[in-house]
Amino acid sequence: MKKIRIGLLFLFLLVAGCDSQVTSNKESKKMSWSIDQNVVEDSKHRVFYEIFVRSFADSNGDGIGDLNGVTKQLDYLKELGIDGIWLMPIQPSPSYHGYDVTDYYDVNQDYGTLADMKRLVEEAHKRDIKIVMDLVMNHTSNKHPWFQKALTGDPVYRDFYVWSDEQTNTNELGDWNQKIWHGESESKYEGIFWDGMPDLNYRNPAVMEEMKKIGSFWLKEVDVDGFRLDAAKYLFSSHQVKDHHDKNAALWEEFKQSTQNAKSDSFLIGEIWDTPAIVGTYLHGLDSGFNFDLSSKILSSVKQEKDAGIASSLERTRAYFQNVSNEFVDSIFITNHDMNRVMSEVAGNQDQAKMAASLLFTLPGNPYVYYGEEIGLEGKKPDENIREPMIWSEIKDDSLNTTWIKRKYSKNAKQLAVSVQKSDKNSLYNHYKTMISVRKGRSALLAGEIKGSDVRKQGLVSFERMNEEESLLVLHNITSKKMTITIPKEWKDVYFSSQSYEKKELELILAPYSTIIFEKGV
C-alpha cells in the first residue's frame, strides 16, 4: 500500500521523552505519541461516524440539528480522524427518528433542503469524507401516500404491502414478543416494528423496482456514496416464508447490481442484528454487515475486565466471511443508536470507556463511532435518551448545541463539551483522536488480519495483526492493576504505548488500563 509522510504535529497522551526501542536493561518508559509518521492510504478502509442529525449541530438557532450544521462541523470530524459519515434517516417523516418515511425523494424540512444535502455531500467529498445515508426499505410510514392509497383499496398500492388472509394467525408475535399484525378491518397488515410502519411486499417486483429508482436518485443526483440498510433481514419476514434469509439475500444482490450500475464504487452496509452465521448469508448482496457479536464482546470485556474471547471469535468469524466473500469489510462498533451508550454501560468509568475505544481501533474492519461517544455522552433506553444532543461548548446558549429534547443524561457540559476536552490531553476525545491516528499509521492495523496471541494473562486482551507487509502484536491491559507478562523474543520494537511501562529483559510490566503495540524485529 502507498504510504505518505505528513509534517510534524505532536499530540501528547503523557509527558515523555524517550525513543521507542526496548532494550535488555531494566527501564521505565513513558511513551509520547506523535502524528509524525506514516499514514496509510486506503479508500476501502475508513473510520465512520454515525450522526443523528436532529441532535448533532444546529445552524439556524431553532434548536434542531440540521444538514448545514453537519456541514459546518466537517472540519471537526476531519480533525478527529473521521473519513466516513453515516447519516441516520434524513427523509421526511412524522416521527422524530425518521425511520417511517413519507417521501423517499426529499429531505425532512426540519433538517433543511435537498440543496443543503447536496452541499453537505460536496463539502464532505472535498475533505475525502464519504457519505452513507440510511435507506429504510423494509417499511414505510403509515402516512406514506402509497399506504394511504392502499387503505382506499387501490389495487396497485394495496399490493405494495403485506396483508393477512384466511390462513394467517394474526395473533402471532414477533421476535421480541411484539404484535405484528395491525388494523381494524378483517384483513390486517404486517408491521414487524409497530403499526406506524407497515411492511412492504417484496413478492411484488414493482416494490423493488421503486427502490432501485430511489437508490439511483440518491447516488446519481445527490452523489452519496452508499446506504446503511435498516432491518436488512426483514424484507421477507419469517412470518411470510421459511427461508427468508436466503430470499432476502437474493433481493440484496438484485439491489446491489442496481446501485453499482448507478455508481460503480457505491457500497451497502446492512443492519443484520443476528449471529455471524446469519450475517454471512447476506454478504453476496451486501458489502458489509454490522458486527453485533463483536460489540457485545467488547462491552463485556471492558466491564468485566476479562477477555470475552475477542480475538478467537473474530478469527473464526472472519474466516467464515472470507469463504462467503473475499470482498467483505466488517463493520465494527461499540454501541449505536439502538443501544445504551458506552459511558452508561461502563457506569461512568472513563478508563473502561478508553479501553473499549482502544480495542475498537486496533481490531480489523471499518470502525463506526456513534456521535458523542468520543466525549463520553451517556444515555439509556428508551431511544430518545440515547439520542440526546451533542455538547459542543460549555456555554449554555451556544448556537451549535441543539435543544430539541430536554437532557436526562450528560448534563455536565463543563466536563463533557468538545471545547473543554480538546484542551485536555487526558480527555476521552484526545484518546479517540490518538487511537484513530495510531490505526491509520500502520497498514496491518488498518486492513490486516487478526490472529490470537500466545501472550496470555487474566485481564489481558492480546492478538496479532498482520498483512504481507508487517506483523504487529497488540496488548491491552483492561484491568485496574499492573500486569507482568513475558514477551516472545521476536517482538522487539515498540510502535505505540498509551502509558508508561517497565521492561527488564523479556519481562514487561504494563500499567493499568493501557495498550502497547510491538512490531516484529528484523
Side-chain angles (χ1 to χ4, degrees):
M1 292 182 183
K2 182 180 177 184
K3 296 186 178 181
I4 304 173
R5 299 289 296 182
I6 62 175
L8 289 174
L9 175 61
F10 294 98
L11 172 65
F12 293 99
L13 267 180
L14 296 163
V15 177
C18 63
D19 60 58
S20 63
Q21 301 297 313
V22 179
T23 69
S24 60
N25 299 321
K26 182 177 180 179
E27 54 188 328
S28 177
K29 295 276 191 184
K30 258 189 175 182
M31 298 294 296
S32 64
W33 179 243
S34 163
I35 311 181
D36 172 35
Q37 59 175 323
N38 292 331
V39 174
V40 181
E41 261 195 350
D42 187 338
S43 62
K44 185 177 180 180
H45 294 90
R46 294 172 175 260
V47 178
F48 282 81
Y49 191 89
E50 179 190 359
I51 294 178
F52 180 43
V53 175
R54 188 173 296 275
S55 285
F56 191 61
D58 178 16
S59 72
N60 59 10
D62 66 356
I64 298 174
D66 46 49
L67 294 171
N68 287 336
V70 178
T71 303
K72 190 173 183 178
Q73 294 306 93
L74 286 174
D75 288 337
Y76 164 80
L77 297 175
K78 192 66 180 177
E79 182 185 354
L80 180 60
I82 301 302
D83 36 32
I85 294 172
W86 156 23
L87 295 173
M88 288 171 62
I90 61 165
Q91 294 155 325
S93 164
S95 301
Y96 85 93
H97 51 73
Y99 281 100
D100 47 344
V101 175
T102 55
D103 184 351
Y104 284 101
Y105 292 95
D106 204 355
V107 166
N108 189 322
Q109 63 179 3
D110 286 345
Y111 294 168
T113 66
L114 200 56
D116 294 332
M117 179 62 179
K118 289 180 179 179
R119 188 169 76 89
L120 168 58
V121 173
E122 181 181 0
E123 290 298 320
H125 287 171
K126 287 179 183 177
R127 296 162 174 80
D128 190 30
I129 296 175
K130 300 284 189 183
I131 298 284
V132 172
M133 60 176 281
D134 239 308
L135 186 58
V136 185
M137 291 174 54
N138 177 71
H139 50 260
T140 69
S141 168
N142 61 359
K143 305 291 194 303
H144 194 288
W146 296 346
F147 191 69
Q148 290 299 304
K149 290 178 181 179
L151 291 177
T152 68
D154 183 310
V156 173
Y157 291 103
R158 177 107 178 153
D159 199 33
F160 266 46
Y161 296 90
V162 180
W163 302 89
S164 65
D165 58 27
E166 61 275 5
Q167 304 298 320
T168 305
N169 175 12
T170 55
N171 293 317
E172 66 181 329
L173 300 177
D175 292 348
W176 49 94
N177 293 319
Q178 81 280 20
K179 183 178 178 181
I180 62 173
W181 294 101
H182 312 279
E184 300 301 325
S185 65
E186 187 174 319
S187 180
K188 299 183 182 299
Y189 64 90
E190 183 184 74
I192 291 292
F193 293 95
W194 68 299
D195 62 355
M197 295 177 173
D199 293 338
L200 288 163
N201 176 25
Y202 282 91
R203 286 193 179 94
N204 179 358
V207 174
M208 179 56 82
E209 291 306 311
E210 286 290 342
M211 289 301 167
K212 289 176 184 177
K213 292 175 186 176
I214 291 163
S216 295
F217 168 80
W218 289 98
L219 293 169
K220 287 182 175 181
E221 300 300 320
V222 187
D223 202 23
V224 301
D225 299 290
F227 302 108
R228 179 265 185 185
L229 300 163
D230 182 66
K233 70 174 187 175
Y234 289 105
L235 298 190
F236 280 111
S237 74
S238 60
H239 311 286
Q240 298 175 41
V241 289
K242 289 184 178 180
D243 57 342
H244 63 292
H245 292 306
D246 291 334
K247 287 192 175 295
N248 288 332
L251 285 173
W252 290 125
E253 287 189 64
E254 182 181 347
F255 184 70
K256 182 178 181 179
Q257 184 62 55
S258 173
T259 57
Q260 289 184 332
N261 289 341
K263 189 172 186 177
S264 60
D265 61 347
S266 61
F267 54 101
L268 305 177
I269 309 104
E271 182 204 27
I272 310 153
W273 201 327
D274 217 311
T275 64
I278 298 301
V279 174
T281 305
Y282 289 81
L283 292 181
H284 287 301
L286 303 178
D287 299 293
S288 184
F290 286 101
N291 197 328
F292 287 89
D293 186 63
L294 178 62
S295 164
S296 66
K297 282 183 166 52
I298 291 175
L299 283 173
S300 174
S301 296
V302 297
K303 288 163 66 175
Q304 303 299 322
E305 301 195 351
K306 179 181 178 182
D307 184 9
I310 290 173
S312 58
S313 64
L314 255 185
E315 197 174 352
R316 291 192 302 270
T317 296
R318 291 181 65 81
Y320 164 60
F321 285 170
Q322 284 165 352
N323 283 333
V324 177
S325 168
N326 58 13
E327 296 295 324
F328 89 97
V329 177
D330 206 4
S331 292
I332 62 176
F333 65 102
I334 310 173
T335 68
N336 66 19
H337 66 282
D338 286 323
M339 307 161 73
N340 292 343
R341 282 190 172 271
V342 178
M343 193 59 79
S344 291
E345 282 292 308
V346 299
N349 186 321
Q350 187 168 115
D351 290 319
Q352 291 181 341
K354 285 181 176 180
M355 291 314 300
S358 296
L359 287 165
L360 179 71
F361 294 119
T362 52
L363 292 170
N366 281 350
Y368 282 71
V369 177
Y370 184 35
Y371 82 94
E373 185 178 287
E374 75 276 20
I375 59 172
L377 289 189
E378 295 181 80
K380 294 182 179 181
K381 281 185 170 279
D383 289 345
E384 293 88 337
N385 296 328
I386 52 180
R387 303 169 187 175
E388 290 183 357
M390 182 70 171
I391 305 177
W392 295 106
S393 169
E394 70 274 27
I395 301 171
K396 187 175 181 180
D397 58 354
D398 187 299
S399 60
L400 273 178
N401 293 335
T402 71
T403 57
W404 72 275
I405 188 174
K406 186 177 180 180
R407 294 180 183 278
K408 183 176 180 179
Y409 300 93
S410 306
K411 296 181 179 180
N412 189 351
K414 291 183 178 180
Q415 176 184 331
L416 295 173
V418 170
S419 60
V420 174
Q421 293 203 27
K422 274 190 169 186
S423 60
D424 178 2
K425 67 180 184 295
N426 294 315
S427 69
L428 187 59
Y429 165 86
N430 276 318
H431 183 77
Y432 266 73
K433 185 176 179 180
T434 297
M435 292 310 301
I436 291 171
S437 71
V438 168
R439 179 184 189 82
K440 292 183 174 182
R442 300 301 284 261
S443 62
L445 288 178
L446 196 67
E449 280 305 322
I450 188 170
K451 182 175 76 171
S453 165
D454 292 332
V455 182
R456 297 175 183 173
K457 189 111 179 187
Q458 182 82 357
L460 180 73
V461 179
S462 66
F463 49 85
E464 296 180 34
R465 296 293 310 279
M466 76 294 292
N467 59 11
E468 293 179 356
E469 298 177 19
E470 61 187 6
S471 294
L472 302 173
L473 173 64
V474 183
L475 305 175
H476 298 282
N477 177 5
I478 59 175
T479 74
S480 61
K481 301 183 184 302
K482 286 184 178 180
M483 180 181 295
T484 302
I485 56 178
T486 301
I487 300 297
K489 292 181 180 180
E490 66 266 26
W491 301 106
K492 297 183 181 298
D493 301 328
V494 172
Y495 165 58
F496 167 77
S497 177
S498 69
Q499 296 215 46
S500 61
Y501 62 90
E502 296 177 25
K503 175 73 172 57
K504 183 179 181 181
E505 296 181 346
L506 297 178
E507 191 175 82
L508 185 73
I509 301 176
L510 289 174
Y513 302 119
S514 65
T515 296
I516 188 166
I517 302 174
F518 285 88
E519 53 187 342
K520 193 168 285 188
V522 179

